[in-house]
Amino acid sequence: MGLDDGAKMGGEGQARDDAAAMGGGPAPDGGTEADGKGPAPDVRLRTDGGASALGAGALAMRGSVAVAAISRLRAWFNLCAITRFASWAARAYKSSRTGRGFASFLGKAPTSHFSVTYRAAAAVFSLADRLAGRAHAAIAPSAGRSALYRAAVRVKGIPRRRAALLLAAATLSAVCLAIAFPQLKAVSVLAVVGACCVVFLVKYPLATLLVAQYSIIYYAVTAFVRIPLLEAVWSELLLFGCVAVWLYKWLVHRRDVPYVFTPVDIPLMLFVAVCTFYLFANSPDIYIGLKGYRAVVEYMLFFFVITQLARERRYIKGLAHSIVGAGFVAAAIGVFQYFHGVDTPASWTDRAEDTVAPRVFSVAGNPNILAVLMLCVIPITVSIVLYNKDLRARVAAGFMAVVMTMCMVFTGSRSAWIALAIALAIFAFMMGDKRVVMVFAIVAVAVYFGIPSVQQRISYLISDDFINSSLRAGRLMRWPAAVEMVRENPLAGVGLGRFGGAVAAANRMPFTFYIDNYYLKIAVEMGLPGLASFLALMAGLLVSGFRAVRRLVGTEYYGLALGAMCSIVGVLATNVVLNNFDAPMVTVYFWVLAGMVMFLGYGPERAERPLPL
């Protein structure tokens, strides 16, 4: 089964703030007179060059209707009953026993490091590390004298950003070559793989940037390269290649941190162990069982790729920017599809809906998956807008956020819209800034009243026609049937790959149907023990993730970690009414975001150590 199977299925300081925003305030020279004999009696505009025009523009803007409207809107927002109630509720919550207890809970150190399981895992990795150290000592003398090593040392001197640009240029050139000359596709693929090997062996953390471009690689392989064998196994090759780079780092770069433990490692390993048990204990057809096991477990391993290949927190920032770039490309394609009226299948909308707006799908092949992809990147992009110190980066991120939001709206995915509202509400609550709440609320109201298709989709969601349609052949009909299947097999389940997802549909399993609830899918396939282990993993990820966010308060990485965690919450919310973890693109980015948060919170702050043998 190709990897695209899952994708296809399925008011304080108001005057001061206004002055700062409009360019007012004291002059840059400290408000002194031109002759420097004493302080100026008042603040005047400078008369040199462009500053005069800027000051004149600022004065003109202060008296404009737009600024007056914004000021009145801000004053109304600060004085309205809703804002006063929200402020009172926030103060009451923080001072309450519940608020203090929750803050204390998030501030606790993880207790997993004191468990027997952790100590056993640490002993195993310590043994493996000693074996790698012996192998390193055996090959270091001869390898250090080789011509290949001397050439690698020269390449290592290339700055990290330049190396990343060279790798991107080589990949883009190979893709263009494959499009222009289809007979050279294999040569292009080999050239990209060779360039990746050279760069990754010298600067191994750059392998994470390749994972960040998963959606773009997916689109290029399936839409342009079109080599059947490569379409089927390229994701596995990417994962195995990253694991090989990790082992190379562990063996050769001995002075780097050999393994980064995070509180999610043990719950994740335990869930994988449970899945392995069910694979061998309850797989009537081992071929289908392996496919179901792969669909559940394989993409989780990208979590370890991020936590083990990143050397410092600054690498995570570059990874986040790369993910935002990939998301912007996907969003731009989706917006292009909308304005050019892309054809969408009739099955993507209910027959009773009175809407003709197209639902875009971009690189994902499915509007719901594309919407969840936007859900993964929009909170991170918003965090760059709010927390980045570089004005150019903030402006660029703001533009990208607008395009991504438009793309999400054009997908028509109601569940993703609701999940994004939940994610941004958590973001605003954790920030504690009323202005952010106001901006988010204004955007939501503008989208609802400004785009008719959004009104139609949401109005239909709460109509009797939707309820009747869902009872007849939708979620409200399938969910009770799935619950009944859980009652029939509460412990063993029906087996991995045999219900509710792309694997079961592709293999035409009898007595099965596609289920729009990933948690029910897990319960039917693996029984209640499997569901309990999966929910324990997700609960551990949420608790450890928000604890990591709390540990980063006051650092430059706080906004990034908060945005990633809000995305994670949003994706988990969508899986209540969708089966998004059945799509590799969603699962990979979900666990990449989880790895980013865990490394920022629990990884080494800095690992400036020499790299050679």
Side-chain angles (χ1 to χ4, degrees):
M1 182 188 68
L3 290 181
D4 54 340
D5 290 341
K8 291 178 180 177
M9 300 295 297
E12 184 179 0
Q14 178 177 338
R16 182 175 64 253
D17 293 343
D18 291 340
M22 294 297 108
D29 57 0
T32 58
E33 291 285 352
D35 55 5
K37 294 181 180 180
D42 56 356
V43 178
R44 299 182 183 276
L45 294 174
R46 295 172 60 92
T47 57
D48 52 332
S52 177
L54 181 62
L59 286 178
M61 287 292 295
R62 285 186 182 181
S64 65
V65 177
V67 172
I70 294 174
S71 299
R72 287 181 177 273
L73 182 62
R74 180 189 296 178
W76 172 83
F77 179 79
N78 289 330
L79 296 176
C80 69
I82 297 177
T83 304
R84 292 200 302 268
F85 175 79
S87 300
W88 171 84
R91 291 193 302 269
Y93 171 77
K94 290 181 179 180
S95 60
S96 66
R97 183 176 300 178
T98 302
R100 294 196 303 269
F102 186 67
S104 176
F105 176 73
L106 291 181
K108 288 183 179 179
T111 58
S112 59
H113 289 191
F114 305 99
S115 65
V116 176
T117 307
Y118 173 84
R119 292 198 294 267
V124 172
F125 281 106
S126 178
L127 175 61
D129 188 48
R130 288 197 298 270
L131 295 176
R134 292 180 180 180
H136 166 82
I139 68 173
S142 58
R145 295 189 297 268
S146 65
L148 181 61
Y149 174 74
R150 292 195 297 269
V153 171
R154 289 177 177 268
V155 178
K156 189 187 66 178
I158 301 176
R160 178 173 58 93
R161 181 173 298 181
R162 184 178 301 175
L165 291 176
L166 289 175
L167 180 61
T171 304
L172 181 60
S173 300
V175 170
C176 294
L177 182 63
I179 296 174
F181 303 97
Q183 63 274 18
L184 298 179
K185 289 180 180 178
V187 177
S188 302
V189 172
L190 291 176
V192 173
V193 172
C196 291
C197 291
V198 171
V199 173
F200 295 164
L201 291 181
V202 178
K203 294 183 176 294
Y204 63 83
L206 291 178
T208 59
L209 301 183
L210 196 61
V211 179
Q213 300 300 313
Y214 188 94
S215 59
I216 305 302
I217 300 174
Y218 171 93
Y219 185 62
V221 170
T222 57
F224 297 109
V225 178
R226 293 181 179 176
I227 299 177
L229 180 61
L230 184 63
E231 291 184 28
V233 301
W234 75 268
S235 184
E236 286 79 5
L237 292 177
L238 174 62
L239 178 60
F240 295 155
C242 291
V243 172
V245 173
W246 173 31
L247 295 177
Y248 161 81
K249 164 223 172 179
W250 198 357
L251 179 64
V252 176
H253 301 279
R254 297 295 303 157
R255 299 182 182 181
D256 276 6
V257 178
Y259 188 86
V260 176
F261 282 99
T262 73
V264 177
D265 292 4
I266 293 177
L268 182 53
M269 293 177 184
L270 289 177
F271 178 72
V272 172
V274 170
C275 292
T276 305
F277 171 79
Y278 275 99
L279 171 64
F280 293 103
N282 188 24
S283 291
D285 188 332
I286 192 63
Y287 174 77
I288 295 176
L290 284 172
K291 283 183 171 292
Y293 179 84
R294 165 181 168 267
V296 175
V297 171
E298 177 183 321
Y299 308 103
M300 293 181 172
L301 302 181
F302 282 98
F303 171 85
F304 297 103
V305 171
I306 304 304
T307 59
Q308 304 311 316
L309 290 185
R311 291 185 65 243
E312 306 168 19
R313 288 176 174 175
R314 62 189 181 95
Y315 286 97
I316 298 298
K317 182 183 291 187
L319 176 62
H321 292 172
S322 183
I323 293 175
V324 169
F328 173 71
V329 172
I333 295 175
V335 173
F336 176 83
Q337 288 178 338
Y338 180 84
F339 286 106
H340 282 261
V342 65
D343 295 331
T344 56
S347 59
W348 286 355
T349 56
D350 196 290
R351 295 178 181 178
E353 288 187 82
D354 184 20
T355 178
V356 295
R359 298 187 65 186
V360 302
F361 47 87
S362 185
V363 301
N366 183 286
N368 288 328
I369 297 173
L370 176 61
V372 179
L373 178 61
M374 295 297 103
L375 176 61
C376 290
V377 295
I378 288 177
I380 299 178
T381 310
V382 172
S383 72
I384 296 175
V385 176
L386 296 176
Y387 287 97
N388 199 291
K389 297 180 181 179
D390 188 348
L391 179 60
R392 292 176 298 180
R394 297 174 68 177
V395 172
F399 173 74
M400 293 181 182
V402 171
V403 176
M404 293 172 185
T405 304
M406 292 173 61
C407 180
M408 172 173 272
V409 171
F410 296 156
T411 62
S413 179
R414 292 172 291 219
S415 59
W417 296 344
I418 298 173
L420 180 62
I422 295 173
L424 294 181
I426 296 174
F427 193 102
F429 174 78
M430 297 287 287
M431 281 189 62
D433 193 331
K434 296 182 294 185
R435 293 172 296 181
V436 176
V437 178
M438 181 178 68
V439 172
F440 290 166
I442 291 175
V443 172
V445 171
V447 169
Y448 179 79
F449 289 101
I451 303 179
S453 61
V454 174
Q455 295 184 40
Q456 294 172 3
R457 295 281 290 173
I458 295 179
S459 299
Y460 179 71
L461 182 64
I462 58 178
S463 66
D464 293 336
D465 292 337
F466 176 81
I467 302 297
N468 295 331
S469 176
S470 185
L471 287 171
R472 183 174 60 254
R475 295 179 178 90
L476 297 182
M477 182 273 291
R478 297 179 180 183
W479 287 350
V483 172
E484 187 61 30
M485 296 182 70
V486 175
R487 290 177 178 175
E488 294 175 359
N489 301 277
L491 297 179
V494 300
L496 288 168
R498 305 183 66 84
F499 175 79
V503 176
N507 291 276
R508 299 180 179 180
M509 298 301 301
F511 308 107
T512 188
F513 48 86
Y514 200 86
I515 186 72
D516 287 316
N517 186 311
Y518 189 78
Y519 308 101
L520 272 177
K521 174 185 178 295
I522 290 291
V524 174
E525 290 190 343
M526 300 172 58
L528 296 180
L531 176 62
S533 62
F534 181 76
L535 293 179
L537 171 60
M538 295 298 109
L541 174 59
L542 291 176
V543 172
S544 300
F546 281 108
R547 283 178 174 174
V549 172
R550 185 176 179 84
R551 291 161 65 101
L552 294 168
V553 172
T555 68
E556 61 177 317
Y557 304 102
Y558 170 75
L560 174 58
L562 176 58
M565 279 307 301
C566 291
S567 296
I568 289 173
V569 173
V571 175
L572 291 177
T574 62
N575 277 285
V576 175
V577 294
L578 292 173
N579 192 355
N580 284 317
F581 279 153
D582 209 38
M585 190 180 298
V586 173
T587 311
V588 168
Y589 280 113
F590 178 88
W591 288 107
V592 167
L593 295 177
M596 290 167 52
V597 176
M598 290 298 105
F599 187 88
L600 289 175
Y602 302 97
E605 295 185 11
R606 192 169 185 84
E608 291 287 358
R609 297 181 174 91
L611 294 182
L613 289 166

